[in-house]
Amino acid sequence: MQIFEKSIHFANGAKVFMAEENGVTFLYAEGDFGFAGEKTEVEGKAVVKAPLTHENACVLRKVFPFTAPIRVLGKERSFGVGDRLGIATPGHIEVFAGYDAYPVLAQQSMRELTLTNRTYEDVLDCVTFATFRDNFTKGFGADGDHLKKAEDVRYALELGYTMITLDCSDHIRNDVAEMDDAAVAAAYTKNAAIEERYIGKSFDVGEGITVSFDEAALRRIVLVYGKAIAFATSIYETFFKDGKYNADFEISIDETLTPTTPLEHFFVANELTIAGVHFETMAPRFCGEFQKGIDYIGDLKQFTEEMTVHSQIARHFGYKLSIHSGSDKFSTFPIIGEKTRGIFHVKTAGTNWLEAMRVVAMVDPKLYREIHAYALEAFDEATKYYHVTTDLSKIPALDTVSDADLPKYFDQNDARQLIHITYGLILSRKNVDGSFTFRDKLYTLWKENEKTYTEALLRHIGKHLDLLGVQHA
Ligand code: ZN
């Protein structure tokens, strides 16, 4: 039996700790805290040996509140690092112990839950056990990410998630961009109160920045965002207004076909504020492309100009900007850090998967080659879920790359995207006998190479934080 040194904690004078036995981790409690498990003895003392179940995670969160999520969006710097695999949290903990930023360690969308075959219970419990094992007491958030339905919001909040990212995209009209002014006028229902509020008006948001609306622009914006604002308002009133749940509210309008203009951003924020909706963060869609797992594609000058205005609008209303698909957008980070004055939420999701696969390429070339070959086959299927501009012909063929050079695939954008977007298919692929083709082998490999993976995350997530201007703690 191997005790995890940092996991030794005391409550009411009784010891609780974690240890591994034959490759399986258990909780051991000397006192009676309500953990479900078997009674046994360790070093002559009676203990309960409790498996890492959801029930025991719930007890652990009560006895040691640092293992339960807190609200982090109110902190100056927060950073989302979903742990899709349930193995990245020890690495994430090491990263954030060293930086002046609060992590959202549990963060998944419904799509990610489906693709990884997990539940919100499991996602949060993994983080709870990891923070206990490694004694991470600083605090972390739990994000029900990109939720679109009231029942999903309720599911995450009931489990104690401390943040909901409401995805309003189903209520945003993408077709309006293709309509001319006459078609917009025909589709628009007159709203006297809104017209009175905006037409011909200018709004000073500070720092010499004003936004102003004419009739045509206003009609267009109402048509695109009207239903999304009503949806966000109803979710707020159902779940947040009475303060029953201790959770932050993020409004996401980023999953649209066109970027959010500063004028649109102002309108949405202003209307939500007038409706009495309180939210901690908003995620507009920024100009240029934020594709998965690679750097920003677009005009950095335009990005800088628009980020200046978006940041000022957020400051004016008193919330933080949230930057989604933030992984690997290295060229934008210094701009984001500067324009938001170091007050932001940035979300990354899949980049820790890529680092996990880099470890596979480093330590098991044979397995990596099998997965890479499968990813090439599965690529077309995966593009149904993601917008990417991957050029498979630019990826060096497997038989031209030596084992030692396999990790270099993760320095090449097209290869990164190939592995990035096929993650769900790779993890869920099954053999004819029903067993997983890769999943179990991968988890075994990652468990055996936890230190290598932690080092990879320290380097990679650390680079994100350094470029954003986050100070070392
Ligand atoms: Zn998003």
Side-chain angles (χ1 to χ4, degrees):
M1 175 173 136
Q2 179 154 16
I3 295 176
F4 292 100
E5 221 36 61
K6 288 182 184 168
S7 77
I8 300 170
H9 292 85
F10 291 86
N12 303 328
K15 190 154 96 176
V16 183
F17 60 95
M18 270 180 175
E20 194 178 276
E21 235 185 289
N22 303 322
V24 184
T25 302
F26 292 90
L27 272 167
Y28 295 81
E30 287 179 358
D32 180 16
F33 298 101
F35 291 110
E38 81 181 86
K39 291 201 170 83
T40 176
E41 268 190 14
V42 173
E43 291 164 355
K45 285 204 167 150
V47 295
V48 174
K49 176 183 170 187
L52 303 189
T53 59
H54 174 60
E55 195 186 2
N56 286 330
C58 291
V59 177
L60 195 62
R61 285 191 280 267
K62 284 213 180 73
V63 180
F64 298 98
F66 74 86
T67 66
I70 59 167
R71 294 170 67 165
V72 300
L73 290 186
K75 312 280 188 189
E76 293 199 327
R77 280 159 298 287
S78 46
F79 195 95
V81 279
D83 179 7
R84 286 176 181 165
L85 304 166
I87 56 158
T89 300
H92 290 154
I93 283 172
E94 276 215 37
V95 175
F96 286 94
Y99 281 92
D100 180 21
Y102 283 82
V104 175
L105 296 175
Q107 170 198 284
Q108 289 219 9
S109 64
M110 281 291 148
R111 180 174 70 186
E112 289 170 317
L113 288 185
T114 311
L115 288 174
T116 54
N117 222 335
R118 300 180 78 199
T119 62
Y120 271 147
E121 285 88 338
D122 173 42
V123 169
L124 180 54
D125 295 346
C126 278
V127 172
T128 289
F129 293 129
T131 54
F132 183 78
R133 194 195 77 173
D134 293 348
N135 191 33
F136 182 73
T137 58
K138 172 177 177 168
F140 67 92
D143 182 3
D145 194 10
H146 274 282
L147 300 184
K148 296 180 170 186
K149 294 184 201 147
E151 71 232 47
D152 296 339
V153 172
R154 188 186 308 277
Y155 169 38
L157 288 173
E158 284 290 330
L159 285 172
Y161 276 61
T162 52
M163 162 177 181
I164 295 297
T165 300
L166 186 69
D167 182 334
C168 301
S169 57
D170 287 353
H171 307 271
I172 294 173
R173 280 186 64 168
N174 283 311
D175 59 326
V176 178
E178 306 296 318
M179 291 159 69
D180 61 17
D181 284 351
V184 169
Y188 169 81
T189 316
K190 190 174 168 65
N191 182 325
I194 283 192
E195 292 186 359
E196 166 73 33
R197 221 161 22 240
Y198 293 96
I199 295 176
K201 302 273 165 65
S202 278
F203 298 85
D204 180 358
V205 294
E207 302 286 320
I209 296 170
T210 55
V211 291
S212 43
F213 295 79
D214 62 29
E215 191 173 9
L218 178 73
R219 283 178 179 167
R220 200 169 272 279
I221 293 174
V222 171
L223 214 51
V224 176
Y225 292 98
K227 291 217 166 65
I229 292 163
F231 172 61
T233 304
S234 83
I235 293 290
Y236 175 77
E237 287 175 351
T238 307
F239 297 105
F240 292 92
K241 196 175 182 177
D242 65 5
K244 179 184 168 198
Y245 301 103
N246 191 16
D248 292 327
F249 191 30
E250 170 161 317
I251 308 282
S252 121
I253 52 171
D254 65 310
E255 304 271 315
T256 58
L257 292 181
T258 49
T260 316
T261 63
L263 199 63
E264 292 168 331
H265 178 184
F266 177 87
F267 178 83
V268 173
N270 199 43
E271 284 301 301
L272 286 172
T273 304
I274 288 167
V277 178
H278 182 77
F279 53 98
E280 277 71 22
T281 36
M282 174 143 36
R285 180 174 159 187
F286 300 104
C287 60
E289 294 208 33
F290 280 62
Q291 289 187 23
K292 302 290 171 188
I294 60 169
D295 203 344
Y296 179 71
I297 302 172
D299 178 348
L300 279 174
K301 187 167 166 285
Q302 185 193 359
F303 181 82
T304 306
E305 285 164 9
E306 294 196 12
M307 184 52 75
T308 307
V309 183
H310 284 305
S311 300
Q312 187 56 32
I313 291 171
R315 260 194 301 277
H316 170 75
F317 286 102
Y319 56 84
K320 291 202 300 189
L321 274 190
S322 177
I323 292 95
H324 287 196
S325 302
S327 54
D328 309 282
K329 303 301 173 293
F330 298 117
S331 62
T332 69
F333 291 153
I335 302 163
I336 292 168
E338 183 198 329
K339 297 303 174 189
T340 61
R341 298 180 192 164
I343 300 174
F344 53 74
H345 183 61
V346 171
K347 280 197 205 199
T348 68
T351 202
N352 56 56
W353 155 256
L354 284 179
E355 290 307 306
M357 289 304 296
R358 191 198 294 268
V359 172
V360 178
M362 286 162 67
V363 304
D364 191 340
K366 185 169 167 290
L367 177 61
Y368 180 77
R369 286 177 191 277
E370 286 170 28
I371 294 173
H372 188 102
Y374 169 67
L376 286 167
E377 271 171 46
F379 181 76
D380 274 348
E381 166 78 13
T383 55
K384 287 181 192 157
Y385 304 103
Y386 292 101
H387 166 68
V388 288
T389 51
T390 316
D391 183 350
L392 295 184
S393 72
K394 288 190 183 151
I395 303 174
L398 272 174
D399 56 13
T400 66
V401 178
S402 70
D403 283 357
D405 282 343
L406 288 175
K408 288 189 182 157
Y409 275 124
F410 294 88
D411 302 324
Q412 203 270 342
N413 282 346
D414 299 281
R416 287 179 70 79
Q417 289 195 316
L418 165 71
I419 301 298
H420 197 300
I421 70 166
T422 51
Y423 83 96
L425 296 164
I426 292 168
L427 286 173
S428 54
R429 175 155 171 88
K430 287 189 174 165
N431 301 315
V432 277
D433 65 0
S435 61
F436 285 112
T437 311
F438 305 119
R439 189 186 181 98
D440 300 335
K441 285 183 197 163
L442 284 171
Y443 273 91
T444 305
L445 182 150
W446 289 322
K447 193 168 185 332
E448 285 166 359
N449 295 277
E450 189 184 310
K451 199 161 164 281
T452 308
Y453 187 35
T454 291
E455 281 161 8
L457 288 173
L458 267 174
R459 191 174 56 238
H460 192 64
I461 303 292
K463 184 176 171 190
H464 287 64
L465 296 168
D466 286 335
L467 286 168
L468 282 161
V470 181
Q471 300 295 305
H472 287 267

